[in-house]
Amino acid sequence: MPVPAELLAHAVAEARKARDEGGVPIGAALVVDGEVLAVGHNRRVQEASAILHGETDCLEAAGRLPASVYARATMVTTLSPCDMCTGAILLYEIPRVVIGENRTFMGGEELLRSRGVDVVVLDDAKCIALMEEFIAREPGLWNEDIGEP
Amino acid sequence: MPVPAELLAHAVAEARKARDEGGVPIGAALVVDGEVLAVGHNRRVQEASAILHGETDCLEAAGRLPASVYARATMVTTLSPCDMCTGAILLYEIPRVVIGENRTFMGGEELLRSRGVDVVVLDDAKCIALMEEFIAREPGLWNEDIGEP
């Protein structure tokens, strides 16, 4: 099993791709049995989407899966998951979440833990820098993405 | 403002569309200031999608919206919202949810209420019949849709 910092690299690569596309720089990877099954990134700007966050885009890219696969999965994400992505992780009973950082946004970590999910927060400087640069540059877009005025 | 039973008709029409397409018969409508802004239905089968439930498909159809629009919205759905759809409603701080029924599946109603969302359950016979017929006919597909083995 790769260590969390190695897993995070896949999500960071997606976040950078999103940034380079002019989007919200959040990425994710779904890892099953140590292999990356799917990756994804926020596509609010690119697809005019209200639901394609890093984690949900990754789940969509993974396609229809049986519960037995989700049960062996880790969701890796550059940022603490919002309420929607928290709910998606709970829906599919993904047992482990690796989070790049939660300094720029605190999502549903408490709910995840209360439902038995193993949550690892890496406090990764690359992830923090991606979000700090984005929030300073595009505050309106960031607020839209998290449902704030 | 239309009464909940009138609003539900839009979601039921979507659920029937999903059924007629061979999919999971759950539909939703986003109503703002008494007008239907968008409708949607579960597209797991039709689009091989893991994230297009009734409510999320409806939010996606509505497109990118400012928080001020969600703040005036009602999410109407034929079935008690799963964890993911509950989270999507919380993300966008939609203040009111009208639910067709919660007998065949109980979703995140308690969490919604704990976060201040006004939840109305109609216990609608048409919605119950749609789900009972579907669950009896396609138990495996239904379990997949709610992340169960």
Side-chain angles (χ1 to χ4, degrees), chain B residues 98-120:
Chain B
V98 171
I99 295 171
E101 63 107 353
N102 62 13
R103 290 193 191 215
T104 66
F105 178 79
M106 175 57 86
E109 295 175 23
E110 191 180 339
L111 180 61
L112 289 171
R113 289 197 175 98
S114 78
R115 296 270 296 267
V117 178
D118 177 25
V119 177
V120 177

Side-chain angles (χ1 to χ4, degrees), chain A residues 44-45 48-53 56-57 59-60 63-65 67 70 82-84 87-88 90-93 111 115 141 144-149, chain B residues 44-45 48-53 56-57 59-60 63-65 67 70 82-84 87-88 90-93 111 115 141 144-149:
Chain A
R44 173 172 296 275
V45 171
S49 174
I51 65 167
L52 290 174
H53 278 192
T56 47
D57 185 55
L59 289 169
E60 189 70 335
R64 291 173 57 182
L65 298 172
Y70 293 119
C82 81
D83 286 321
M84 174 176 68
L90 291 173
L91 167 63
Y92 290 119
E93 299 182 29
L111 180 61
R115 296 270 296 266
L141 176 55
E144 181 191 315
D145 201 54
I146 54 174
E148 296 298 323
Chain B
R44 173 171 297 273
V45 171
S49 174
I51 64 168
L52 290 174
H53 278 192
T56 47
D57 184 55
L59 289 169
E60 189 69 335
R64 292 173 57 182
L65 297 173
Y70 292 119
C82 81
D83 285 321
M84 174 175 68
L90 292 172
L91 167 64
Y92 289 119
E93 298 181 30
L111 180 61
R115 296 270 296 267
L141 175 55
E144 181 193 315
D145 201 55
I146 53 174
E148 296 297 321

Side-chain angles (χ1 to χ4, degrees), chain B:
Chain B
M1 180 76 182
V3 299
E6 289 172 17
L7 296 178
L8 186 65
H10 301 286
V12 171
E14 285 293 306
R16 288 178 172 150
K17 192 179 293 183
R19 178 199 60 193
D20 295 346
E21 292 169 356
V24 181
I26 304 171
L30 191 70
V31 178
V32 178
D33 300 335
E35 300 287 328
V36 176
L37 191 69
V39 294
H41 58 264
N42 189 300
R43 297 183 196 267
R44 173 171 297 273
V45 171
Q46 300 91 319
E47 305 284 341
S49 174
I51 64 168
L52 290 174
H53 278 192
E55 300 90 327
T56 47
D57 184 55
C58 179
L59 289 169
E60 189 69 335
R64 292 173 57 182
L65 297 173
S68 59
V69 175
Y70 292 119
R72 305 196 310 274
T74 298
M75 175 62 80
V76 186
T77 175
T78 55
L79 184 67
S80 188
C82 81
D83 285 321
M84 174 175 68
C85 295
T86 294
I89 291 161
L90 292 172
L91 167 64
Y92 289 119
E93 298 181 30
I94 295 171
R96 188 164 183 247
V97 179
V98 171
I99 295 171
E101 63 107 353
N102 62 13
R103 290 193 191 215
T104 66
F105 178 79
M106 175 57 86
E109 295 175 23
E110 191 180 339
L111 180 61
L112 289 171
R113 289 197 175 98
S114 78
R115 296 270 296 267
V117 178
D118 177 25
V119 177
V120 177
V121 180
L122 295 175
D123 200 30
D124 180 83
K126 297 182 296 300
C127 294
I128 296 169
L130 274 164
M131 284 305 294
E132 285 185 340
E133 186 278 328
F134 167 68
I135 293 169
R137 178 166 48 84
E138 295 271 16
L141 175 55
W142 174 232
N143 282 329
E144 181 193 315
D145 201 55
I146 53 174
E148 296 297 321

Side-chain angles (χ1 to χ4, degrees), chain A residues 72-111:
Chain A
R72 305 196 310 276
T74 298
M75 176 61 81
V76 186
T77 175
T78 56
L79 183 67
S80 187
C82 81
D83 286 321
M84 174 176 68
C85 295
T86 294
I89 291 161
L90 291 173
L91 167 63
Y92 290 119
E93 299 182 29
I94 296 171
R96 190 165 181 247
V97 179
V98 171
I99 296 171
E101 63 107 353
N102 62 14
R103 291 192 191 214
T104 65
F105 177 78
M106 175 57 86
E109 296 175 23
E110 190 181 341
L111 180 61

